[in-house]
Amino acid sequence: MKPIEEVGELHTDHPADREDAVRELIVRFHMPIYRYCFHMLQHKQETEDAVQDIFLKVVQQSARLRSIRSPSAWIYQMAHNHCLNLAAKKRLQRLLPLRLIGASPVVAEDSHRQTEEDMAIEAMLSCLNPGERSIMILRVIEDKSHEDIAAIIGVTPAAARKKFERAKGKLRQICMKEEGKAHDPDTVSFI
Amino acid sequence: MTQIPFHSYEEFAEAWKRRKLPEPMPLENLNLAPAGRDCRKVNFRTSASCHASPRLKRLATFPLLTLCLLLAAGTTLSARLWDTITLRNNKGEVTLSYTLNSPEEINKEALRRHLNLKYRDIIDKRWQIVYPGQLSFLVIPELYGLTGVYNQYQEEKSFATPEALQNGTTTPFKLPAYLPEKLSFLEGSILYKGEEVDPQALYIEAQAADMEYIVQSVPLNSEATRLSVEYGTPAGPDRAIVPKLRITINRIAGSSMTAMHDGYADKVHYEVISIHGNEALYMEAEQTLHVFLKTADGGLLYNIKVLNHNTSVNAELGEEQVQPTPKEELIKIAESLLAE
């Protein structure tokens, strides 16, 4: 299947076409954006809310669709900015006396089961700042090129590559450290 | 602390790629506002998200700030009662309504949120308490004492054939004899009823032992509390948009149609239909038909929903064009469910 950006620009600005195009974008990018946001936020309910907010922005800004060359980059850019804003808000809210940030669902039937491997992945990713994490997700999970990532995060492709290599280096170092600990008889395991 | 089991970055990246994510909520209420009209946030949210939506609760917590923002955005506001604010667009349609709580309620809500945050890790660590074939109850005394709310978890059981699904529970239920062209059974799943557990007793036990939280797991029986069946076109290309039909069957006590009418009032456009003497609600924007089927011990609520459909972009891509499932098709499915 051809990626959606190859469809090209909207040929008409008729509201019905626009609505169809927006609906199509939402249906097509729901899962990728959900996946991106989940890896960024690591919380299902927050992810659901973030995805809704991002698509609400898509709807609100649908008049711009005609002039957008790559809807995919446009949506990812919105998701990237939204998740970075959420991360910044979270950092700020930690300083407030009353933590009035979004709560987890109180009663939930959830079949999702997190493994130790998942926890290890989260622990490693938590060593990255939100910007680095976003780049890693776009590159590793979403399989985006450095050019695509550059368009999404608003830097040059060379800068995007450099940022990716730096984040990758951090993760590589963690793996090496842990590997070193595993071979050190004096080191007690974390668990 | 968590032990890192990866020996190299490549090993980590591979594990990360194959990580299984929780399933997202289906795109329900995908109700795009017609051009030139305000987007209706209430309708746009998924139904499940609405229940726990921190956004609406934040609105109640910061009413003045919110009102200022909304007024600045040029929206007309009317206060029908002292404690209820209704937001209308320039056509006079209700777009959002919420209640202004008393200071005591606001404080209670703030405390509840604080506790939710405090215990978020425990609530999220479902994998520690969910075992196959069991229903786990989690009671956090501090939260339960404030709100009376507890958590329960179970793993959904999946079935690959309609026969296996029928044999998977003792709860009698029907599957539609009629299906739109090209749709066939993809997957079914069941959530089961568990043995009765008294959360109050768990709460008292946890309090007496000064426990932060208490978990009790009980065996599941073969009665279903929720069934879900998905129909679609098998073996489509990856990520291709194909029509899918989901039928969810929930066991409920008594008729819920009246409650549904009330819940949807002013928010969602729906049409009441009679199918073989049973009341049904059709929601065009969501392409969903809710049908209530009375049984000896209450009733089963069938939600028949079209998950997605093709539009013009697929046609441009040269893919096979699949028309949206029309209302008549959903009614035919419901009729085949209700037929004796």
Side-chain angles (χ1 to χ4, degrees):
Chain A
M1 180 192 286
K2 286 197 311 186
I4 196 159
E5 40 268 55
E6 288 177 27
V7 174
E9 297 173 15
L10 278 176
H11 298 298
T12 164
D13 205 21
H14 192 277
D17 291 339
R18 204 165 74 195
E19 194 177 321
D20 266 358
V22 170
R23 192 183 294 275
E24 189 61 44
L25 281 179
I26 292 175
V27 171
R28 184 163 295 220
F29 284 102
H30 178 230
M31 198 55 212
I33 294 297
Y34 174 84
R35 193 168 53 222
Y36 171 84
C37 291
F38 184 83
H39 286 300
M40 281 297 283
L41 304 170
Q42 304 289 351
H43 190 265
K44 187 172 186 291
Q45 191 62 49
E46 282 177 15
T47 303
E48 297 278 5
D49 281 348
V51 172
Q52 293 279 2
D53 286 339
I54 291 159
F55 284 133
L56 188 63
K57 281 179 195 163
V58 170
V59 175
Q60 285 167 339
Q61 296 181 24
S62 60
R64 290 180 54 204
L65 259 177
R66 199 169 187 274
S67 59
I68 288 166
R69 285 195 64 79
S70 168
S72 167
W74 181 56
I75 290 183
Y76 273 105
Q77 193 175 42
M78 270 194 266
H80 169 80
N81 292 337
H82 189 79
C83 289
L84 292 194
N85 285 342
L86 285 179
K89 270 184 201 166
K90 271 188 184 174
R91 277 201 304 274
L92 190 68
Q93 276 159 342
R94 276 190 213 120
L95 304 172
L96 294 175
L98 271 179
R99 295 179 180 187
L100 297 172
I101 62 172
S104 315
V106 181
V107 172
E109 281 177 344
D110 196 325
S111 56
H112 182 235
R113 194 168 179 172
Q114 201 166 359
T115 62
E116 279 182 18
E117 192 173 76
D118 293 341
M119 291 166 69
I121 292 167
E122 281 181 19
M124 281 189 69
L125 290 173
S126 67
C127 301
L128 303 177
N129 66 41
E132 290 171 333
R133 180 188 280 235
S134 175
I135 291 169
M136 289 305 293
I137 296 167
L138 292 169
R139 182 77 181 131
V140 178
I141 303 292
E142 300 300 318
D143 213 16
K144 299 275 180 203
S145 67
H146 289 300
E147 286 71 24
D148 288 342
I149 295 172
I152 292 166
I153 65 172
V155 296
T156 63
R161 183 187 293 272
K162 204 170 175 183
K163 281 172 187 278
F164 169 72
E165 290 300 337
R166 198 178 300 145
K168 191 174 161 182
K170 275 190 186 178
L171 295 173
R172 205 184 282 281
Q173 245 179 359
I174 297 168
C175 291
M176 280 166 64
K177 258 188 207 170
E178 290 296 324
E179 181 72 350
K181 274 180 200 163
H183 292 108
D184 183 355
D186 296 331
T187 310
V188 180
S189 169
F190 284 123
I191 291 180
Chain B
M1 280 188 69
T2 309
Q3 193 174 35
I4 306 296
F6 311 116
H7 301 104
S8 67
Y9 165 79
E10 287 70 25
E11 210 176 291
F12 157 75
E14 279 309 308
W16 192 18
K17 275 185 205 170
R18 66 169 180 263
R19 184 180 175 189
K20 202 180 166 196
L21 303 187
E23 278 293 308
M25 293 288 170
L27 273 175
E28 288 175 352
N29 302 340
L30 187 61
N31 185 18
L32 304 186
R37 275 170 52 188
D38 298 338
C39 295
R40 299 192 289 176
K41 289 189 179 183
V42 171
N43 290 355
F44 191 72
R45 278 193 176 276
T46 60
S47 54
S49 175
C50 261
H51 282 302
S53 167
R55 173 187 293 271
L56 289 177
K57 287 160 190 166
R58 270 201 297 274
L59 285 175
T61 316
F62 302 111
L64 284 176
L65 178 64
T66 311
L67 292 182
C68 291
L69 286 173
L70 293 170
L71 285 169
T75 321
T76 319
L77 202 75
S78 71
R80 285 188 301 200
L81 297 168
W82 276 108
D83 61 345
T84 304
I85 298 291
T86 305
L87 187 69
R88 294 172 189 275
N89 62 17
N90 53 10
K91 289 193 173 182
E93 295 159 331
V94 174
T95 53
L96 184 67
S97 75
Y98 60 92
T99 305
L100 292 178
N101 293 325
S102 65
E104 293 76 30
E105 283 170 326
I106 291 173
N107 288 340
K108 192 177 164 184
E109 176 65 12
L111 180 59
R112 191 190 70 76
R113 282 167 180 277
H114 173 72
L115 291 177
N116 261 324
L117 195 70
K118 181 177 167 187
Y119 293 109
R120 183 174 132 170
D121 284 350
I122 293 170
I123 293 171
D124 279 357
K125 281 180 183 170
R126 298 178 178 120
W127 63 91
Q128 290 186 342
I129 51 176
V130 175
Y131 298 100
Q134 290 202 324
L135 176 64
S136 298
F137 289 80
L138 166 71
V139 175
I140 300 171
E142 219 178 337
L143 258 177
Y144 185 87
L146 181 76
T147 61
V149 168
Y150 57 96
N151 294 54
Q152 47 179 309
Y153 311 101
Q154 73 167 284
E155 265 195 322
E156 211 165 30
K157 197 170 177 186
S158 299
F159 299 87
T161 64
E163 294 74 28
L165 184 70
Q166 289 278 7
N167 294 332
T169 173
T170 51
T171 303
F173 69 96
K174 285 181 173 181
L175 291 177
Y178 171 81
L179 283 173
E181 206 184 344
K182 292 181 185 172
L183 292 190
S184 59
F185 184 94
L186 288 182
E187 194 188 25
S189 59
I190 299 179
L191 280 176
Y192 292 97
K193 208 172 166 185
E195 282 179 13
E196 293 290 327
V197 166
D198 180 9
Q200 183 69 22
L202 288 179
Y203 168 66
I204 293 168
E205 188 185 335
Q207 263 204 328
D210 201 19
M211 295 160 83
E212 196 180 19
Y213 63 92
I214 185 165
V215 177
Q216 186 176 345
S217 292
V218 292
L220 295 168
N221 62 37
S222 54
E223 277 184 74
T225 54
R226 199 192 77 180
L227 288 119
S228 180
V229 195
E230 238 179 68
Y231 298 92
T233 48
D238 281 351
R239 296 187 189 183
I241 297 177
V242 291
K244 268 189 181 176
L245 188 76
R246 179 180 289 162
I247 300 179
T248 315
I249 309 165
N250 287 292
R251 174 192 283 275
I252 47 174
S255 169
S256 74
M257 279 299 171
T258 316
M260 283 176 71
H261 280 256
D262 292 344
Y264 290 132
D266 281 347
K267 289 180 184 170
V268 178
H269 294 288
Y270 61 84
E271 186 185 338
V272 181
I273 303 169
S274 178
I275 302 174
H276 292 319
N278 295 275
E279 202 180 17
L281 297 186
Y282 174 67
M283 289 168 196
E284 191 176 358
E286 303 167 41
Q287 289 203 49
T288 306
L289 186 66
H290 301 277
V291 188
F292 181 71
L293 191 66
K294 274 201 169 173
T295 58
D297 58 341
L300 295 174
L301 183 67
Y302 285 77
N303 296 330
I304 307 168
K305 180 171 177 56
V306 178
L307 292 182
N308 46 33
H309 59 82
N310 274 14
T311 55
S312 54
V313 174
N314 289 71
E316 283 186 47
L317 290 169
E319 291 174 359
E320 190 183 0
Q321 181 76 1
V322 183
Q323 294 302 319
T325 308
K327 179 173 91 179
E328 290 69 31
E329 287 285 74
L330 292 180
I331 293 175
K332 273 190 196 174
I333 297 168
E335 281 175 342
S336 75
L337 273 170
L338 299 177
E340 287 301 320

